[in-house]
Amino acid sequence: MHLYTADYVVTQNDGRDVIEQGAILVQDSKIQCVGHTDMLEIMYPDAPRTDLGRAVIMPGLVNSHTHVPMSLYRGFSDDKALMDWLTQDIFPAEAKLTPEMVETGALFSFAEMIRTGTTACFDMYMHSDAVFRAADKMGIRAVIGENITQFFPNLAFADMPAYRELVAAQAEKWRNHPRLRQAIVPHAPYTTNPDLLRELRALADDHGAIFGMHLAETRAETEGCLKDHGMRPVPYAHSLGLLQPDSTFFHCVTVDEEDISLLAEGRCAVVHNPASNMKLASGVAPVEKMIAGRVDVALGTDGPASNNAQNMFRDMYLASLLHKVDSLSPTACPAALALDMATRGGSAALHDPLIGSLEPGMRADFIALDLTTPNMQPVHHIVSNLVYAATGMENRLTVVDGKVLYQDGKFTTCDYAALCTEIKERAAFFA
Amino acid sequence: MHLYTADYVVTQNDGRDVIEQGAILVQDSKIQCVGHTDMLEIMYPDAPRTDLGRAVIMPGLVNSHTHVPMSLYRGFSDDKALMDWLTQDIFPAEAKLTPEMVETGALFSFAEMIRTGTTACFDMYMHSDAVFRAADKMGIRAVIGENITQFFPNLAFADMPAYRELVAAQAEKWRNHPRLRQAIVPHAPYTTNPDLLRELRALADDHGAIFGMHLAETRAETEGCLKDHGMRPVPYAHSLGLLQPDSTFFHCVTVDEEDISLLAEGRCAVVHNPASNMKLASGVAPVEKMIAGRVDVALGTDGPASNNAQNMFRDMYLASLLHKVDSLSPTACPAALALDMATRGGSAALHDPLIGSLEPGMRADFIALDLTTPNMQPVHHIVSNLVYAATGMENRLTVVDGKVLYQDGKFTTCDYAALCTEIKERAAFFA
């Protein structure tokens, strides 16, 4: 067991308790106790202790939608119209990808996440075996899926039999892993067809995998879906039986009230990606309407080619500001809601009830932010400082499953300097 | 003289040259030479040298609109409607302010700016003598003004004669200071009257001071101005002779094409404040239209009560994303434009032609960002990483007027630990 103490513990429990001079006791991979430091000192006098001092302990943030290998393309192409960006720059670059490149990109994004306070993510990309390997090595928690479209060959497999084989082998290999879980992730309605989507839904059931998909990301997608299927994207997904409680849909920008009702009835989770939706000019997802409609909403960065970071503190801040200016209401998306989306919402989107808050019995996934940087002082309301002032670089400690992955400048699961050399060499391939 | 070398120098000169393996030579308070490291080594073999290695040297960012003492109120009140926020929380707190509190708040914001790569700012607040003292001590470059409204007594002076005396004493005291310059800063059209504004404009002429004012910040202000004066805010300011080349107007959210023409004809500078305009839900300033209309546009954070940071990297990022989503065009406000606003735009807004780029003869105001953090790698386009990936916490070195103010965790002009204690004690007064 190990005791961590700090000036503040932000629990994100049901009461959203914030404990001044707080502590958490970790036993193996779980949290055993959360409370005032003086009480936990009495209860566990012999526990080894890390006193973080002027810091705030909080749940690790959950990045519920990303494409981690794309760190290779950070800053490779910006400020272009979506179709130019994809067809001129991103797709040609992706066609050159090897599993080795994907693994390096994934390792590097995981390093960025671990550095900036993210402890879990939901990833979808190509050559996902390499993403599994990278996540296993780095110690982060992840839901991982192999992106699939109807345009065969896909990058990592030639046809459906090869895809089924890939998915079955992954299910076999990673079943019962303490941190990693498989997802079945068709790319989007406009890159698949009804038969393929029905088959993938069945495959998720067969493997007990989470189901995820980009959905209703842009107005163009909605127009295309209406033209091709006579339905908006959400009713289309509903008509194929895709709206299930094990499902997570990414973006959901162009959803109306009927769409929201369908998502709520299906008990699906939705992931909001403010940075990506702003940078690619996709629009503004009706986050507060979805939440009012009883849809669980999480937060994601999207990939490093459209963000261009994997830093959830920035996305919490953006979410809060975007919805205020969009609704012309300064009371929209308050700090507490942004923090909820990045923690408790992540529990819903990753379909893991044991993450998202610091409580006895929950997984020991937490971080600790330094409160001695100028932007974090004074502390009138700690949650305000976390959402409106923190950059993410204040993070000093990242623990996943009870294991320290980063502390005060040192990564414990990678040779960071070697990884920097590797990403530079691999990225040079695309220059 | 002193030679600074790094992997990249982003000059922000007319050609926006980026020099790989670049160097700048500083002589006293000015830049003497900028070029490739191997060339400058030959030219200045005996110059003492700081090799920053995997870093980017760039012009210090210019925060062209803020209220630095409000760091006292960081996180004090958020997520409220503008008038509730002002009348319930901010105005009552401000009524308690003493010059000592203002000085602490200003020192602390300057520390945050220096830490995160800002070398110059345009500040307006109350008890501005204390802001002058703080800026003088911290070594930052600043334009500083005493906020004035028609509601006497103002906090720092009882009536107009007292205000005139305060302003005259400031002019006398700070004239010829190498880094500090006085501004005359009426609060806004809706808190002043035509006679007062005409008198303040004349006072700026008398003292050779810069003139600055909040203008066209909200729709409510525009509606009120139409009702009270039969004109929109910009034509109203024009009718009083306020649109002059030494003038800088803050916000300009609700400006139309005629307003933009007037601002351009007056050769005024405008300061865009994306974080504040989003958080307070003021709306979206037509930045690209103003720039197309030949108005100089700079970037500001606004005060730490509405931002809640003094970190210009965040505001560059926000500016770029806000205009993309607002216009539904991913080509809006590209990275280079955001960087221009924060550097060259700041030169216009502070009316100092010797800041905003790294060129021979310019002031030695520059910063250096670490490129070894995960978010700053790989480097496909360095300006993309600066605008879309940097948090500001990567800054390792801040130099103003040739003097190092911050380097690798150490402030040279303040006892940072003592300042932290001071801000905590002063802020507790408002709890």
Side-chain angles (χ1 to χ4, degrees):
Chain A
M1 63 177 65
H2 198 97
L3 187 67
Y4 294 89
T5 63
D7 277 5
Y8 298 86
V9 174
V10 171
T11 64
Q12 287 295 96
N13 63 12
D14 288 348
R16 306 300 189 277
D17 292 328
V18 173
I19 305 167
E20 289 196 40
Q21 301 306 318
I24 65 175
L25 188 93
V26 174
Q27 172 75 51
D28 302 323
S29 65
K30 296 282 175 61
I31 294 168
Q32 182 158 328
C33 192
V34 179
H36 288 280
T37 298
D38 50 10
M39 188 184 74
L40 268 72
E41 278 172 340
I42 293 169
M43 291 169 67
Y44 305 99
D46 302 325
R49 178 169 171 175
T50 299
D51 182 10
L52 296 155
R54 294 179 59 193
V56 49
I57 295 171
M58 60 186 286
L61 302 184
V62 183
N63 185 346
S64 297
H65 177 55
T66 183
H67 313 285
V68 285
M70 297 182 88
S71 60
L72 293 161
Y73 310 132
R74 188 199 314 277
F76 177 62
S77 173
D78 306 290
D79 305 319
K80 283 197 167 186
L82 182 65
M83 279 302 141
D84 292 346
W85 179 71
L86 284 173
T87 58
Q88 294 171 9
D89 298 325
I90 298 299
F91 290 158
E94 286 183 336
K96 299 179 188 174
L97 279 174
T98 64
E100 293 71 27
M101 292 174 182
V102 165
E103 186 164 342
T104 298
L107 287 168
F108 204 72
S109 281
F110 291 142
E112 183 180 359
M113 289 181 183
I114 289 167
R115 171 69 188 85
T116 54
T118 290
T119 53
C121 68
F122 191 145
D123 191 73
M124 63 185 285
Y125 205 61
M126 297 160 293
H127 290 309
S128 61
D129 281 346
V131 180
F132 268 103
R133 283 197 298 275
D136 182 43
K137 177 175 187 292
M138 291 295 281
I140 200 164
R141 189 176 307 286
V143 173
I144 297 167
E146 179 74 27
N147 187 78
I148 175 169
T149 74
Q150 65 179 334
F151 308 113
F152 297 101
N154 277 211
L155 191 69
F157 49 88
D159 50 24
M160 274 307 283
Y163 169 76
R164 280 186 217 106
E165 205 173 300
L166 184 159
V167 165
Q170 275 183 357
E172 179 62 27
K173 180 161 186 185
W174 303 106
R175 182 172 295 139
N176 302 323
H177 192 286
R179 294 180 285 98
L180 307 183
R181 193 162 167 208
Q182 187 178 27
I184 298 295
V185 285
H187 175 259
Y190 58 93
T191 49
T192 52
N193 58 57
D195 286 344
L196 178 59
L197 289 174
R198 278 193 210 95
E199 176 170 355
L200 294 171
R201 175 64 255 180
L203 206 58
D205 288 335
D206 291 348
H207 290 302
I210 292 166
F211 186 89
M213 183 170 71
H214 295 108
L215 190 69
E217 181 172 357
T218 64
R219 290 172 304 165
E221 176 188 337
T222 294
E223 286 161 18
C225 196
L226 279 164
K227 185 159 161 279
D228 295 344
H229 307 289
M231 287 177 274
R232 298 167 53 80
V234 173
Y236 171 64
H238 176 63
S239 74
L240 300 171
L242 305 185
L243 306 190
Q244 302 290 340
D246 66 353
S247 301
T248 299
F249 295 103
F250 313 123
H251 298 292
C252 296
V253 170
T254 57
V255 292
D256 65 14
E257 285 186 20
E258 191 195 336
D259 296 342
I260 293 171
S261 295
L262 289 173
L263 290 164
E265 282 164 29
R267 296 197 284 131
C268 312
V270 163
V271 183
H272 175 43
N273 300 276
S276 169
N277 296 163
M278 293 175 81
K279 183 153 181 265
L280 299 176
S282 305
V284 182
V287 161
E288 291 200 301
K289 279 187 191 160
M290 286 193 271
I291 291 169
R294 311 193 76 75
V295 176
D296 288 320
V297 181
L299 208 56
T301 58
D302 210 346
S306 65
N307 184 306
N308 305 0
Q310 296 288 287
N311 178 340
M312 286 289 293
F313 280 93
R314 199 160 79 157
D315 292 86
M316 284 199 293
Y317 178 66
L318 278 178
S320 188
L321 264 65
L322 173 60
H323 298 291
K324 292 183 204 315
V325 75
D326 180 57
S327 63
L328 292 179
S329 166
T331 61
C333 199
L337 179 59
L339 183 59
D340 275 6
M341 288 196 284
T343 54
R344 298 168 64 102
S347 165
L350 270 60
H351 305 279
D352 184 342
L354 297 184
I355 62 172
S357 65
L358 302 181
E359 297 174 82
M362 300 291 278
R363 302 190 195 284
D365 289 10
F366 61 94
I367 61 176
L369 267 67
D370 181 16
L371 293 176
T372 71
T373 59
N375 56 319
M376 298 301 279
Q377 300 176 67
V379 180
H380 286 296
H381 299 288
I382 186 69
V383 170
S384 169
N385 286 21
L386 293 175
V387 173
Y388 292 130
T391 66
M393 294 293 280
E394 301 81 7
N395 184 45
R396 291 181 49 191
L397 174 73
T398 304
V399 175
V400 175
D401 234 32
K403 183 176 174 188
V404 174
L405 303 186
Y406 173 85
Q407 188 167 8
D408 295 326
K410 299 243 183 306
F411 292 90
T412 65
T413 51
C414 72
D415 176 344
Y416 180 65
L419 197 52
C420 291
T421 304
E422 213 175 300
I423 193 84
K424 185 176 179 180
E425 287 169 5
R426 300 256 190 232
F429 186 75
F430 303 101
Chain B
M1 64 176 67
H2 198 97
L3 187 67
Y4 294 87
T5 64
D7 276 6
Y8 297 87
V9 174
V10 170
T11 65
Q12 286 296 95
N13 64 12
D14 288 348
R16 307 297 189 276
D17 291 328
V18 173
I19 305 166
E20 289 196 40
Q21 301 304 320
I24 64 174
L25 187 94
V26 173
Q27 173 76 54
D28 302 322
S29 65
K30 296 282 176 62
I31 293 167
Q32 182 157 329
C33 192
V34 179
H36 288 282
T37 298
D38 51 11
M39 187 185 74
L40 267 72
E41 277 172 340
I42 293 168
M43 291 168 68
Y44 304 99
D46 302 324
R49 178 168 171 178
T50 299
D51 182 9
L52 296 155
R54 294 179 60 193
V56 49
I57 296 172
M58 60 185 285
L61 301 184
V62 183
N63 185 347
S64 297
H65 177 56
T66 184
H67 313 284
V68 285
M70 298 183 87
S71 60
L72 293 161
Y73 311 131
R74 189 199 315 276
F76 177 62
S77 174
D78 306 292
D79 304 320
K80 284 197 167 186
L82 183 65
M83 279 301 141
D84 291 346
W85 179 71
L86 285 173
T87 58
Q88 294 171 9
D89 298 326
I90 298 299
F91 290 159
E94 287 183 335
K96 299 179 188 174
L97 279 174
T98 65
E100 292 72 26
M101 291 174 183
V102 165
E103 187 163 344
T104 299
L107 287 167
F108 204 71
S109 281
F110 291 142
E112 184 180 0
M113 288 181 183
I114 289 167
R115 172 69 187 86
T116 54
T118 290
T119 53
C121 69
F122 191 144
D123 191 74
M124 64 185 285
Y125 205 61
M126 298 160 294
H127 291 308
S128 62
D129 281 346
V131 180
F132 268 104
R133 283 196 298 274
D136 182 43
K137 176 174 185 295
M138 290 295 282
I140 200 164
R141 190 175 305 287
V143 173
I144 297 166
E146 179 72 27
N147 187 76
I148 175 169
T149 75
Q150 65 179 333
F151 308 113
F152 297 102
N154 277 211
L155 191 68
F157 50 88
D159 50 24
M160 274 308 283
Y163 168 76
R164 278 186 219 108
E165 204 173 301
L166 184 159
V167 166
Q170 275 184 356
E172 179 61 27
K173 180 161 186 185
W174 303 105
R175 181 173 296 138
N176 302 324
H177 191 286
R179 293 179 286 99
L180 306 183
R181 194 162 167 207
Q182 187 179 26
I184 298 295
V185 286
H187 175 259
Y190 59 93
T191 49
T192 52
N193 59 56
D195 286 343
L196 179 59
L197 288 174
R198 277 193 211 95
E199 177 169 357
L200 294 170
R201 177 62 254 180
L203 206 57
D205 289 335
D206 291 348
H207 290 301
I210 292 166
F211 186 90
M213 183 169 70
H214 294 108
L215 189 69
E217 182 172 357
T218 63
R219 290 172 303 165
E221 175 188 336
T222 293
E223 286 159 18
C225 197
L226 278 164
K227 185 162 162 275
D228 294 345
H229 307 291
M231 286 178 274
R232 297 167 54 80
V234 173
Y236 171 63
H238 177 63
S239 75
L240 300 173
L242 305 186
L243 306 191
Q244 302 289 343
D246 66 354
S247 300
T248 299
F249 295 102
F250 312 123
H251 297 293
C252 296
V253 171
T254 57
V255 293
D256 64 14
E257 285 187 21
E258 191 196 334
D259 297 342
I260 292 171
S261 295
L262 289 173
L263 290 165
E265 281 164 28
R267 295 196 286 132
C268 312
V270 164
V271 183
H272 176 44
N273 300 276
S276 170
N277 297 163
M278 292 175 82
K279 184 153 181 266
L280 300 176
S282 305
V284 182
V287 162
E288 290 199 303
K289 279 187 192 159
M290 287 193 270
I291 291 168
R294 311 195 76 75
V295 176
D296 288 319
V297 180
L299 209 55
T301 58
D302 210 345
S306 64
N307 185 305
N308 304 2
Q310 298 288 289
N311 178 340
M312 286 289 294
F313 280 93
R314 199 160 81 156
D315 291 84
M316 285 199 293
Y317 178 66
L318 278 178
S320 188
L321 264 63
L322 174 60
H323 298 290
K324 292 183 205 314
V325 76
D326 180 58
S327 63
L328 292 178
S329 165
T331 62
C333 199
L337 179 59
L339 183 59
D340 275 6
M341 288 196 282
T343 55
R344 298 168 63 102
S347 164
L350 270 60
H351 305 279
D352 183 343
L354 298 185
I355 62 172
S357 65
L358 302 181
E359 297 173 81
M362 299 293 276
R363 303 191 196 283
D365 290 8
F366 61 94
I367 61 177
L369 267 67
D370 181 15
L371 293 177
T372 71
T373 59
N375 56 318
M376 299 302 279
Q377 302 175 68
V379 180
H380 286 296
H381 299 289
I382 186 69
V383 170
S384 169
N385 286 21
L386 293 176
V387 173
Y388 292 129
T391 67
M393 294 293 280
E394 300 81 5
N395 185 44
R396 292 181 48 191
L397 175 73
T398 304
V399 175
V400 175
D401 235 29
K403 184 176 173 188
V404 174
L405 304 186
Y406 173 84
Q407 189 167 9
D408 295 327
K410 299 244 183 305
F411 292 90
T412 65
T413 52
C414 71
D415 176 344
Y416 179 66
L419 197 52
C420 291
T421 304
E422 213 175 299
I423 192 85
K424 186 177 179 180
E425 287 169 5
R426 300 255 190 234
F429 187 75
F430 302 101

